[in-house]
Amino acid sequence: DAGVIQSPRHEVTEMGQEVTLRCKPISGHNSLFWYRQTMMRGLELLIYFNNNVPIDDSGMPEDRFSAKMPNASFSTLKIQPSEPRDSAVYFCASSFEAGAGYGYTFGSGTRLTVV
Amino acid sequence: SQQGEEDPQALSIQEGENATMNCSYKTSINNLQWYRQNSGRGLVHLILIRSNEREKHSGRLRVTLDTSKKSSSLLITASRAADTASYFCATASTTDSWGKLQFGAGTQVVVTP
């Protein structure tokens, strides 16, 4: 398996634009997590899915953020409109039965810069 | 908010020395995991220790868990330059049945040849 695949690797956009980050989890993993990493706040859990169903989105900072998982092999995180304070590295991670205590496999991340 | 807090924040050692870092957490946990992150990369899972375990080994890694003190330690023996990375502890709380992990701020380890 190629691991968790995220795209794009880097994204530079202007304030107010819509940004869509994409994630392909490992085949067979049924849990998917979106994290954001910044120097100031460290790793923050934004939202997670189990069997494609959103379980907890309490970490999503504002209504400008939304996430979907239309099938087991694809998830998106959308920011509309984007703001400079959204600049961060966004990671997607998947796990096989995370609730049973399995570790996560992280993607390489998307470095988002909003100017 | 971050559940685990690593100590020290940064550690600089020479190749061949051992590196020890600690993690403290606040709530009851099902398991505690350690991850490594190389600069500009994603996190890599290193080792998982369950709440009913006290010590676990994997290669040059040794993890301990003291649930009474709500703390864990990660020991890297005979360190190598390639061990230079940030190390994070992450906890799975007993209040969450979905395996959600809360990460600490990390320990930045530099191993000089």
Side-chain angles (χ1 to χ4, degrees):
Chain A
D1 203 317
V4 175
I5 300 172
Q6 289 187 248
S7 64
R9 285 297 311 273
H10 302 274
E11 176 83 31
V12 180
T13 190
E14 290 187 346
M15 184 174 63
Q17 296 298 306
E18 177 180 296
V19 175
T20 299
L21 312 181
R22 297 173 176 79
C23 175
K24 177 177 167 50
I26 289 176
S27 177
H29 282 191
N30 63 354
S31 301
L32 185 138
F33 304 83
W34 282 99
Y35 282 84
R36 177 171 70 175
Q37 186 177 37
T38 60
M39 289 293 292
M40 291 296 293
R41 300 174 70 88
L43 275 157
E44 302 173 277
L45 177 62
L46 301 177
I47 185 171
Y48 60 103
F49 297 83
N50 184 265
N51 291 325
N52 314 335
V53 176
I55 301 300
D56 185 351
D57 66 354
S58 61
M60 299 284 259
E62 298 170 38
D63 290 345
R64 300 183 294 106
F65 286 70
S66 63
K68 292 182 180 178
M69 191 163 187
N71 57 61
S73 58
F74 185 63
S75 176
T76 59
L77 178 68
K78 186 178 291 187
I79 308 173
Q80 165 64 18
S82 57
E83 296 182 3
R85 59 195 167 122
D86 302 332
S87 297
V89 181
Y90 290 80
F91 287 104
C92 171
S94 70
S95 175
F96 171 74
E97 295 294 346
Y102 286 80
Y104 293 4
T105 301
F106 278 79
S108 297
T110 294
R111 181 174 295 277
L112 173 65
T113 303
V114 183
V115 297
Chain B
S1 63
Q2 293 171 7
Q3 158 79 311
E5 293 295 332
E6 285 92 339
D7 169 54
Q9 289 187 324
L11 182 60
S12 185
I13 56 174
Q14 301 241 312
E15 255 189 339
E17 293 180 340
N18 295 341
T20 300
M21 58 211 86
N22 304 295
C23 169
S24 59
Y25 58 90
K26 296 185 175 71
T27 64
S28 295
I29 61 170
N30 286 323
N31 67 74
L32 184 145
Q33 305 179 28
W34 286 91
Y35 288 78
R36 182 188 75 230
Q37 184 180 32
N38 291 88
S39 180
R41 310 293 293 270
L43 283 77
V44 174
H45 181 257
L46 295 176
I47 195 165
L48 180 153
I49 186 164
R50 299 186 188 277
S51 60
N52 61 352
E53 297 175 310
R54 292 297 166 256
E55 188 171 312
K56 208 160 181 182
H57 296 254
S58 176
R60 294 184 295 111
L61 305 180
R62 173 177 168 253
V63 169
T64 63
L65 179 64
D66 187 335
T67 52
S68 67
K69 294 181 179 177
K70 290 186 167 58
S71 68
S72 173
S73 67
L74 171 68
L75 167 68
I76 306 172
T77 60
S79 62
R80 306 166 181 167
D83 295 329
T84 295
S86 292
Y87 292 82
F88 295 87
C89 70
T91 53
S93 170
T94 54
T95 60
D96 176 84
S97 59
W98 301 99
K100 174 178 75 175
L101 290 180
Q102 298 272 24
F103 285 83
T107 292
Q108 197 165 13
V109 175
V110 174
V111 182
T112 52

